[in-house]
Protein backbone atom coordinates (compact mmCIF):
# COMPACT_ATOMS: atom_id res chain seq x y z
CA UNK A 1 0.00 0.00 0.00
CA UNK A 2 1.54 3.22 -1.04
CA UNK A 3 2.23 5.84 1.59
CA UNK A 4 1.14 9.41 0.78
CA UNK A 5 2.91 12.24 2.42
CA UNK A 6 0.85 14.25 4.90
CA UNK A 7 -0.51 17.54 3.69
CA UNK A 8 1.00 20.47 5.37
CA UNK A 9 -1.38 22.55 7.47
CA UNK A 10 -1.97 26.11 6.44
CA UNK A 11 -1.78 28.30 9.46
CA UNK A 12 -3.29 31.80 9.62
CA UNK A 13 -0.53 34.21 9.35
CA UNK A 14 -0.09 37.86 9.12
CA UNK A 15 -0.61 39.45 5.77
CA UNK A 16 2.32 40.11 3.72
CA UNK A 17 3.55 43.39 2.51
CA UNK A 18 1.17 45.35 0.31
CA UNK A 19 -1.91 43.53 1.74
CA UNK A 20 -4.13 45.67 3.97
CA UNK A 21 -4.62 44.49 7.49
CA UNK A 22 -8.15 43.09 7.84
CA UNK A 23 -10.58 45.14 9.93
CA UNK A 24 -12.24 43.66 12.94
CA UNK A 25 -15.59 43.96 11.24
CA UNK A 26 -14.31 41.98 8.30
CA UNK A 27 -12.98 39.35 10.61
CA UNK A 28 -16.33 39.11 12.35
CA UNK A 29 -18.06 38.80 8.98
CA UNK A 30 -15.70 36.00 8.03
CA UNK A 31 -16.24 34.24 11.33
CA UNK A 32 -20.07 34.56 11.12
CA UNK A 33 -21.82 31.43 9.80
CA UNK A 34 -23.16 31.57 6.28
CA UNK A 35 -26.85 30.91 7.10
CA UNK A 36 -27.15 31.31 10.87
CA UNK A 37 -26.56 35.03 11.22
CA UNK A 38 -29.14 37.62 11.99
CA UNK A 39 -30.82 39.14 8.91
CA UNK A 40 -29.60 42.53 8.00
CA UNK A 41 -32.11 45.34 8.44
CA UNK A 42 -32.58 47.73 5.55
CA UNK A 43 -32.61 51.37 6.50
CA UNK A 44 -36.16 52.96 6.55
CA UNK A 45 -36.96 56.27 4.97
CA UNK A 46 -39.79 58.49 6.38
CA UNK A 47 -41.83 60.35 3.74
CA UNK A 48 -43.44 63.56 4.88
CA UNK A 49 -47.22 63.93 4.20
CA UNK A 50 -47.96 66.14 1.23
CA UNK A 51 -50.76 68.67 2.03
CA UNK A 52 -53.93 68.22 -0.12
CA UNK A 53 -55.31 71.44 -1.56
CA UNK A 54 -58.88 72.32 -0.42
CA UNK A 55 -60.95 74.85 1.54
CA UNK A 56 -59.46 75.95 4.77
CA UNK A 57 -61.53 75.73 7.95
CA UNK A 58 -62.25 79.12 9.39
CA UNK A 59 -61.20 79.57 12.97
CA UNK A 60 -64.13 79.42 15.46
CA UNK A 61 -65.70 82.79 16.14
CA UNK A 62 -65.75 83.93 19.71
CA UNK A 63 -69.18 84.01 21.38
CA UNK A 64 -70.69 87.50 21.77
CA UNK A 65 -70.44 88.90 25.23
CA UNK A 66 -73.56 88.34 27.35
CA UNK A 67 -75.46 91.33 28.54
CA UNK A 68 -75.00 92.37 32.09
CA UNK A 69 -77.98 91.06 34.07
CA UNK A 70 -76.94 92.37 37.37
CA UNK A 71 -79.93 94.77 37.43
CA UNK A 72 -83.55 93.90 38.27
CA UNK A 73 -85.23 91.30 36.02
CA UNK A 74 -87.05 92.73 33.04
CA UNK A 75 -90.81 92.29 33.26
CA UNK A 76 -92.51 90.79 30.23
CA UNK A 77 -95.82 92.58 29.56
CA UNK A 78 -98.86 90.33 29.67
CA UNK A 79 -100.97 90.10 26.52
CA UNK A 80 -104.25 92.00 26.68
CA UNK A 81 -107.29 89.90 27.62
CA UNK A 82 -109.09 88.34 24.71
CA UNK A 83 -112.17 90.16 23.59
CA UNK A 84 -115.17 88.42 25.01
CA UNK A 85 -118.01 87.87 22.67
CA UNK A 86 -121.17 89.53 23.76
CA UNK A 87 -123.95 87.20 24.65
CA UNK A 88 -126.01 86.28 21.65
CA UNK A 89 -129.09 88.43 21.54
CA UNK A 90 -132.37 86.61 21.72
CA UNK A 91 -133.94 86.15 18.32
CA UNK A 92 -136.68 88.63 17.61
CA UNK A 93 -140.20 87.31 17.46
CA UNK A 94 -141.79 87.51 14.03
CA UNK A 95 -145.24 89.10 13.96
CA UNK A 96 -147.91 88.17 11.41
CA UNK A 97 -151.37 89.72 11.24
CA UNK A 98 -154.59 88.23 9.96
CA UNK A 99 -157.25 90.85 9.39
CA UNK A 100 -160.63 89.85 10.83
CA UNK A 101 -163.59 91.31 12.68
CA UNK A 102 -164.15 90.29 16.30
CA UNK A 103 -166.81 87.84 15.12
CA UNK A 104 -164.40 86.28 12.62
CA UNK A 105 -161.32 86.23 14.88
CA UNK A 106 -161.96 82.74 16.32
CA UNK A 107 -162.47 81.21 12.89
CA UNK A 108 -159.33 82.91 11.54
CA UNK A 109 -157.37 81.68 14.55
CA UNK A 110 -158.47 78.07 13.99
CA UNK A 111 -157.39 78.33 10.35
CA UNK A 112 -154.01 79.68 11.45
CA UNK A 113 -153.53 76.79 13.88
CA UNK A 114 -154.37 74.26 11.17
CA UNK A 115 -151.88 75.86 8.77
CA UNK A 116 -149.16 75.80 11.44
CA UNK A 117 -149.75 72.12 12.14
CA UNK A 118 -149.76 71.31 8.43
CA UNK A 119 -146.44 73.17 8.09
CA UNK A 120 -144.84 70.83 10.63
CA UNK A 121 -145.28 72.63 13.94
CA UNK A 122 -145.81 70.41 16.97
CA UNK A 123 -149.12 70.88 18.79
CA UNK A 124 -147.23 71.44 22.02
CA UNK A 125 -145.45 74.44 20.45
CA UNK A 126 -148.67 76.47 19.98
CA UNK A 127 -150.45 78.66 22.53
CA UNK A 128 -153.77 80.33 21.68
CA UNK A 129 -154.78 83.39 23.72
CA UNK A 130 -158.17 85.05 23.50
CA UNK A 131 -158.78 88.69 24.36
CA UNK A 132 -162.59 88.40 24.59
CA UNK A 133 -164.69 85.30 25.16
CA UNK A 134 -162.85 82.06 25.91
CA UNK A 135 -162.18 79.70 23.04
CA UNK A 136 -164.61 76.75 22.83
CA UNK A 137 -161.72 74.31 23.36
CA UNK A 138 -160.74 76.14 26.54
CA UNK A 139 -164.28 75.86 27.83
CA UNK A 140 -164.31 72.16 26.98
CA UNK A 141 -161.06 71.46 28.86
CA UNK A 142 -162.22 73.43 31.89
CA UNK A 143 -165.30 71.22 32.08
CA UNK A 144 -163.01 68.45 33.41
CA UNK A 145 -161.81 70.66 36.23
CA UNK A 146 -159.07 73.24 36.56
CA UNK A 147 -156.59 70.70 37.86
CA UNK A 148 -156.89 68.63 34.69
CA UNK A 149 -156.86 71.81 32.62
CA UNK A 150 -153.57 73.10 34.02
CA UNK A 151 -152.04 69.61 33.93
CA UNK A 152 -152.50 69.70 30.16
CA UNK A 153 -150.40 72.89 30.09
CA UNK A 154 -147.63 71.24 32.11
CA UNK A 155 -147.63 68.16 29.87
CA UNK A 156 -147.13 70.32 26.77
CA UNK A 157 -148.37 67.69 24.35
CA UNK A 158 -151.20 69.60 22.68
CA UNK A 159 -152.33 73.08 21.63
CA UNK A 160 -153.19 75.01 24.77
CA UNK A 161 -156.06 77.55 24.84
CA UNK A 162 -156.13 80.18 27.57
CA UNK A 163 -157.28 83.67 28.40
CA UNK A 164 -154.96 86.45 27.26
CA UNK A 165 -154.71 87.59 30.89
CA UNK A 166 -152.72 84.42 31.64
CA UNK A 167 -150.40 85.07 34.59
CA UNK A 168 -148.46 81.81 34.58
CA UNK A 169 -144.91 81.90 33.14
CA UNK A 170 -145.66 80.09 29.89
CA UNK A 171 -143.48 80.33 26.76
CA UNK A 172 -144.08 78.53 23.49
CA UNK A 173 -142.64 78.92 20.04
CA UNK A 174 -145.87 80.19 18.48
CA UNK A 175 -148.60 82.31 20.07
CA UNK A 176 -151.88 82.96 18.28
CA UNK A 177 -153.57 86.06 19.68
CA UNK A 178 -157.33 86.16 19.06
CA UNK A 179 -158.63 89.76 19.25
CA UNK A 180 -162.30 88.78 19.55
CA UNK A 181 -163.38 91.57 21.84
CA UNK A 182 -162.22 94.09 24.38
CA UNK A 183 -161.14 97.68 24.04
CA UNK A 184 -158.27 99.00 21.95
CA UNK A 185 -156.30 99.75 25.13
CA UNK A 186 -156.74 96.19 26.33
CA UNK A 187 -155.74 94.86 22.90
CA UNK A 188 -152.52 96.91 23.03
CA UNK A 189 -151.72 95.64 26.51
CA UNK A 190 -152.41 92.03 25.59
CA UNK A 191 -150.32 92.34 22.44
CA UNK A 192 -147.24 93.32 24.45
CA UNK A 193 -147.92 90.49 26.88
CA UNK A 194 -148.36 87.93 24.10
CA UNK A 195 -144.93 88.84 22.76
CA UNK A 196 -143.48 87.76 26.09
CA UNK A 197 -145.07 84.31 25.72
CA UNK A 198 -143.77 83.72 22.16
CA UNK A 199 -140.23 82.69 21.29
CA UNK A 200 -140.50 82.57 17.49
CA UNK A 201 -143.80 83.71 15.99
CA UNK A 202 -146.82 85.80 17.03
CA UNK A 203 -149.96 85.60 14.90
CA UNK A 204 -152.54 88.30 15.61
CA UNK A 205 -156.07 87.51 14.42
CA UNK A 206 -158.68 90.24 14.67
CA UNK A 207 -159.09 93.97 14.72
CA UNK A 208 -155.55 95.19 15.10
CA UNK A 209 -156.04 98.72 16.36
CA UNK A 210 -152.95 99.97 18.20
CA UNK A 211 -152.09 96.44 19.23
CA UNK A 212 -150.16 95.60 16.05
CA UNK A 213 -149.23 98.96 14.64
CA UNK A 214 -146.39 98.46 12.19
CA UNK A 215 -146.78 94.68 12.06
CA UNK A 216 -146.65 92.83 8.78
CA UNK A 217 -150.10 92.38 7.31
CA UNK A 218 -151.61 89.11 6.15
CA UNK A 219 -154.82 89.15 4.18
CA UNK A 220 -157.57 86.67 5.13
CA UNK A 221 -157.16 83.32 3.44
CA UNK A 222 -153.38 83.65 2.92
CA UNK A 223 -151.02 81.08 4.41
CA UNK A 224 -149.36 81.64 7.76
CA UNK A 225 -145.62 81.05 7.50
CA UNK A 226 -144.39 78.64 10.12
Amino acid sequence: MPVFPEESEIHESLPGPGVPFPRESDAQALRAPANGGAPSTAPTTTVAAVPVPGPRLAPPRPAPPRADRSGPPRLIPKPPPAHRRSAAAEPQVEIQRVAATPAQALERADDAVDQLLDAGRNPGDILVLTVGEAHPWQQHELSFGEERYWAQLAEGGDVFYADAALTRPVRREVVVLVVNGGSAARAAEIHAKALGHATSLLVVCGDAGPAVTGAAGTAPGRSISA
Side-chain angles (χ1 to χ4, degrees):
M1 177 176 181
V3 178
F4 294 96
E6 295 181 1
E7 294 182 0
S8 59
E9 293 181 2
I10 300 175
H11 298 276
E12 184 179 354
S13 60
L14 295 177
V19 179
F21 190 86
R23 292 175 296 177
E24 183 179 359
S25 59
D26 295 339
Q28 293 177 355
L30 293 174
R31 290 194 299 266
N35 297 326
S40 60
T41 303
T44 58
T45 305
T46 304
V47 181
V50 179
V52 180
R56 297 183 179 179
L57 298 178
R61 297 182 180 180
R66 301 182 65 179
D68 185 11
R69 298 184 179 180
S70 57
R74 184 176 57 180
L75 299 179
I76 301 176
K78 295 182 179 180
H83 178 68
R84 295 182 179 179
R85 296 182 179 179
S86 57
E90 294 185 0
Q92 295 183 353
V93 178
E94 181 185 357
I95 301 175
Q96 297 184 15
R97 177 171 61 87
V98 179
T101 63
Q104 298 173 335
L106 283 174
E107 182 180 356
R108 297 288 185 265
D110 290 341
D111 293 341
V113 171
D114 291 340
Q115 293 179 20
L116 291 169
L117 294 176
D118 293 340
R121 292 281 184 176
N122 294 325
D125 296 337
I126 302 174
L127 173 65
V128 180
L129 301 177
T130 54
V131 178
E133 185 180 2
H135 193 280
W137 272 109
Q138 179 184 357
Q139 299 177 15
H140 173 73
E141 295 296 339
L142 282 173
S143 64
F144 297 98
E146 288 194 3
E147 183 177 355
R148 179 70 186 89
Y149 171 74
W150 292 114
Q152 183 185 9
L153 174 63
E155 293 171 0
D158 202 354
V159 180
F160 190 76
Y161 298 85
D163 189 276
L166 180 67
T167 57
R168 300 202 177 195
V170 180
R171 298 201 72 184
R172 291 196 174 183
E173 290 187 9
V174 182
V175 173
V176 179
L177 178 60
V178 186
V179 187
N180 59 340
S183 63
R186 174 173 168 77
E189 179 184 355
I190 295 302
H191 173 266
K193 190 174 181 180
L195 276 174
H197 292 298
T199 62
S200 177
L201 175 64
L202 172 63
V203 181
V204 181
C205 302
D207 188 7
V212 288
T213 302
T218 301
R222 293 186 60 182
S223 300
I224 301 296
S225 61

